[in-house]
Amino acid sequence: MAIKIVTDSTAYIEEEIIKDRDIEVVPLSYELDDEQFIEGYPGTYDDYFIKLSRSKNFAKTSQPAVGDFLEVFKKALNSNDEVIAILMSSKLSGTYNSALMAANMLETDKITVIDSLTTVAHLKTMVLTAKDMANQGYCREDIVHKVYDIKNHMGISVTVGSLEYLKRGGRLSVTKAALGKILNIKPVIKLEDGRLLLKKSLRGKSRALKYMIEQIPKDVCKICICHVMCKDKIMEIKDMLKNKFPNVEIDIDEIGPIIGSHLGPDSFGFCYTWR
């Protein structure tokens, strides 16, 4: 019996990998200036972020409907497959709840739905690890156990290019945003227990970057630099990380509209996994 791996679009896995490894992606959607979009794959996001930077509005995001997951799950079950759905944090979106409702409606023991309590590169790591294990013949129980192990050994920190998008999304008051702009304040936001929390406010991006690097544990085994439209700065940051962690795998990933709308262009962060 094969195991179908399902995720959502905030894993930001490249389209060619999705097709080559036969992973099922249920996309989220968003709306800006009365125009609706389905979140796509890395390499297709820049036009949207340019549009966002020129707009005065905040993008509205929408989770997949229960029916979207029902369709995917039924297709897998009809092929006599088991299913592992690994989805973005339930504290950031209702995507996990939609999938769980769909699985419960089918009244089967062949579907496992996992709340990753994370998103972006960490979700990608979980999904690709699960797929590799499925291809190697591991059972569903072993794969789920491994995903939870990854879940317990990961961290995310991020800073933004501008406070404007935190203000638009209601995460920062107009007064604090204005004062922060004058003082060149850069917040450092961490994902803890599935929630994005402000951990530190520092003057200048270089201080924020230094603090973020200092927070990466010494026993780190993998780092992914995730960014929203700041490719020109990422290689310099990668070199800094390589100097401090010469034996650590360091990747670079794009952040798409669903997560990136809350951060805005020129934002970046680290997703790191330790042993």
Side-chain angles (χ1 to χ4, degrees):
M1 184 177 292
I3 299 174
K4 171 67 71 174
I5 306 300
V6 178
T7 190
D8 63 72
S9 56
T10 70
Y12 302 129
I13 304 172
E14 293 79 1
E15 185 174 13
E16 58 269 26
I17 295 176
I18 292 295
K19 291 180 177 179
D20 182 60
R21 302 199 188 185
D22 191 28
I23 297 167
E24 194 74 47
V25 176
V26 181
L28 282 79
S29 58
Y30 55 100
E31 180 181 324
L32 180 66
D33 296 335
D34 297 323
E35 191 173 357
Q36 295 183 340
F37 307 87
I38 300 295
E39 189 167 50
Y41 298 99
T44 66
Y45 306 141
D46 285 5
D47 287 347
Y48 165 74
F49 285 117
I50 291 170
K51 180 180 175 66
L52 179 67
S53 67
R54 292 172 178 170
S55 175
K56 294 183 179 179
N57 298 316
F58 184 71
K60 301 175 183 176
T61 60
S62 301
Q63 68 203 46
V66 174
D68 296 332
F69 284 105
L70 271 174
E71 183 179 345
V72 169
F73 293 165
K74 284 180 179 178
K75 180 180 176 182
L77 295 175
N78 288 339
S79 298
N80 201 33
D81 292 342
E82 293 184 291
V83 177
I84 301 175
I86 312 169
L87 304 162
M88 70 182 296
S89 174
S90 63
K91 298 173 184 178
L92 299 177
S93 165
T95 300
Y96 165 77
N97 290 327
S98 289
L100 193 61
M101 288 178 65
N104 289 338
M105 289 169 66
L106 292 171
E107 298 181 342
T108 176
D109 61 358
K110 293 183 178 182
I111 301 174
T112 300
V113 182
I114 299 175
D115 180 358
S116 72
L117 290 181
T118 189
T119 185
V120 298
H122 279 323
L123 181 55
K124 177 180 180 179
T125 295
M126 291 178 179
V127 170
L128 296 184
T129 300
K131 183 60 183 178
D132 287 344
M133 290 182 70
N135 287 346
Q136 293 167 29
Y138 283 88
C139 68
R140 184 155 49 109
E141 183 179 358
D142 287 344
I143 296 172
V144 170
H145 183 270
K146 180 62 177 179
V147 170
Y148 275 91
D149 182 60
I150 296 171
K151 183 176 173 178
N152 292 328
H153 295 84
M154 62 187 188
I156 293 180
S157 61
V158 63
T159 190
V160 298
S162 166
L163 298 175
E164 171 66 21
Y165 301 93
L166 295 175
K167 182 191 75 174
R168 287 191 202 178
R171 297 177 182 268
L172 196 66
S173 70
V174 174
T175 302
K176 286 184 177 179
L179 183 61
K181 183 177 181 180
I182 294 170
L183 297 176
N184 192 27
I185 296 295
K186 297 298 178 186
V188 175
I189 301 165
K190 298 192 78 173
L191 188 70
E192 294 184 354
D193 191 32
R195 291 186 175 90
L196 288 170
L197 303 172
L198 175 64
K199 302 302 290 187
K200 197 87 170 177
S201 293
L202 298 157
R203 295 190 69 174
K205 186 169 283 189
S206 61
R207 289 180 180 176
L209 174 58
K210 182 174 182 291
Y211 174 79
M212 288 165 64
I213 292 176
E214 289 172 350
Q215 297 304 299
I216 298 174
K218 292 180 180 179
D219 59 346
V220 64
C221 56
K222 182 177 180 179
I223 304 170
C224 184
I225 310 168
C226 300
H227 71 95
V228 182
M229 277 190 72
C230 55
K231 299 181 183 73
D232 54 332
K233 302 175 183 177
I234 294 304
M235 294 312 297
E236 182 180 347
I237 294 172
K238 184 175 182 179
D239 289 341
M240 293 173 67
L241 290 170
K242 269 295 181 188
N243 287 334
K244 184 168 182 180
F245 305 105
N247 300 315
V248 173
E249 177 186 351
I250 300 175
D251 296 327
I252 296 172
D253 275 347
E254 291 182 70
I255 298 175
I258 296 296
I259 303 298
S261 293
H262 297 271
L263 306 173
D266 205 31
S267 299
F268 67 89
F270 303 143
C271 294
Y272 46 88
T273 306
W274 61 87
R275 295 177 179 84

